[in-house]
DNA sequence: TGCTCACCGAGCGGAACTCGATCATAGAAG
DNA sequence: CTTCTATGATCGAGTTCCGCTCGGTGAGCA
């Protein structure tokens, strides 16, 4: 099981999201263009105020085009979120590859770095929190929930760094993900560049929490 | 500075929220009735699907009455959230009074208990997370942010249990609040009664985090 | 030269929100 | 204790705006 298998993956999610899978080239550009526009608009006016007309206009498309690809307004937001989550996972893989972690903490740290980087650079990235809390009965695919990422990460930590896997590890990673998500969000709440104090504290909290269960970082290589 | 001064307080928040402060008796009943209705409807259909017409009908009021008090749809949700936060603070005070904490951890634990209890019993309480993440430019009052509660709690812990106060304590409590909020929300994500495993882990995380800075619980009495 | 995919945007239905008419209440006046 | 009345409170039809549809038009592929 390689890293790319774990995190990269294909956009499995699109199954329920997009009405019509684009066949021609220009349409795929439209599709991403719509999401780009949505990302910018979300940053400007927020979740509640965003309208499909705004997205269409910003993307240089007509309102009908939006609905050709997405069944409704929230589907656009969900697709944007899916793309953000996907990019996050891809970024984690890049980060792992480029930094070459020597122990499990380095690997976890890569995820934090990826998250912070994307929060800073990717428009609309804060959407990753949207609909987290919302009750989503038919949420289509399940690889958007924090549990999915926790499971994937558990696989890496167990196989690559010898952490004892199983449901315990998954559970603790899910707790870790929730903590990190909230503290990092807080870091960006008022500071668009991310309050370093919260970011640093987030790393510390995660590390201490996991060390409590899996021992010092050095010993687990 | 008494506990009730710290947490009880008056609904300072209403200043920007309500269009017209009710003067007659029946109107205050209407106001809370509207929020009661909104709470139930939120639990039933979620944030996105809730309509002002639903709230009005459930409250036995006309649509015009809703807009007499609230400028728009989201204002109703915000007001509901304000009330939930207020009730949480009041519940914390009750909890502190009835349980008589002997050390700082007992006091913190009271807050967790209050939160969990309300999540279980109070309709629409999960709204406390709504608009947390949302950019709220003119969010009216600031005693809804986690920082406010952290400051209040810091006051109690410093004065009552001798913890060293100041910005450090406030910062750590804010981190603690964010962590607890996210983990507890996760506990109620799929289990309406709250997954005890996450709740217990939340307590452990908070305790370990604070103990790391302020020493063992017993020693700090 | 068709044939299908992609796109457009006027139009429809419904939800958010307004506003003048109507009812209820508090408190003054007798 | 009863009017009386000013004003708060309520109502709900109507207006505006937004989510979404659908038939018609243009662009790419064979």
């Amino acid at each position: 099981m390689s890293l790319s298998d774990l995190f990269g993956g294909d956009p499995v999610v699109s199954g329920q999201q997009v009405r019509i899978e684009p066949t021609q080239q220009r349409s795929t550009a439209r599709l991403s263009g719509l999401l780009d526009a949505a990302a910018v608009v979300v940053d400007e006016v927020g979740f509640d105020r965003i309208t499909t007309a705004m997205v269409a206009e910003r993307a240089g498309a007509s309102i009908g085009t939006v609905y050709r690809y997405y069944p409704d307004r929230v589907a656009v937001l969900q697709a944007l979120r899916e793309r953000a989550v996907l990019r996050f996972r891809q970024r984690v893989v890049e980060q792992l590859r480029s930094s070459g972690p020597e122990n499990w903490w380095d690997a976890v740290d890569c995820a934090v770095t990826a998250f912070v980087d994307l929060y800073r650079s990717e428009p609309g990235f804060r959407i990753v929190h949207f609909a987290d809390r919302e009750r989503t009965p038919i949420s289509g695919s399940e690889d958007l929930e924090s549990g999915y990422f926790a499971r994937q990460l558990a696989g890496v930590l167990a196989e690559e760094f010898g952490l004892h896997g199983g449901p315990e590890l998954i559970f603790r990673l899910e707790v870790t993900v929730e903590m990190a998500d909230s503290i990092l969000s807080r870091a960006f709440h008022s500071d668009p560049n991310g309050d370093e104090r919260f970011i640093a504290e987030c790393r510390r909290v995660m590390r201490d929490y996991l060390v409590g269960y899996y021992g010092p970082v050095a010993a687990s290589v």
Side-chain angles (χ1 to χ4, degrees), chain A residues 73-89:
Chain A
R73 197 185 70 103
V74 293
V76 178
L77 276 327
Q78 278 184 349
L80 181 59
R81 179 160 183 265
E82 286 175 10
R83 195 178 71 166
V85 170
L86 184 65
R87 289 185 175 174
F88 167 63
R89 288 201 254 127

Side-chain angles (χ1 to χ4, degrees), chain A residues 95-96 99-113 157 161 207 217 221:
Chain A
Q95 204 77 34
L96 286 172
S99 72
E102 295 185 349
N103 51 54
W104 62 262
W105 168 250
D106 285 350
V108 173
D109 194 66
C110 281
V112 176
T113 302
L157 297 189
F161 303 105
R207 186 175 168 128
V217 169
V221 180

Side-chain angles (χ1 to χ4, degrees), chain A residues 33 41 57 60 74 86 95 120 149 158 176 188:
Chain A
V41 175
E57 186 190 359
V74 293
L86 184 65
Q95 204 77 34
R120 284 177 178 151
F149 182 71
T176 310
F188 286 89

Side-chain angles (χ1 to χ4, degrees), chain A residues 2 8 16 47 57 59 63 79 88 100 106 113 124 132 143-144 147-148 154 186 212-213:
Chain A
S2 78
Q16 295 292 347
F47 302 130
E57 186 190 359
I63 185 67
F88 167 63
D106 285 350
T113 302
D132 257 8
D143 60 343
L144 286 177
Y148 178 82
R186 175 61 189 82
Y213 285 108

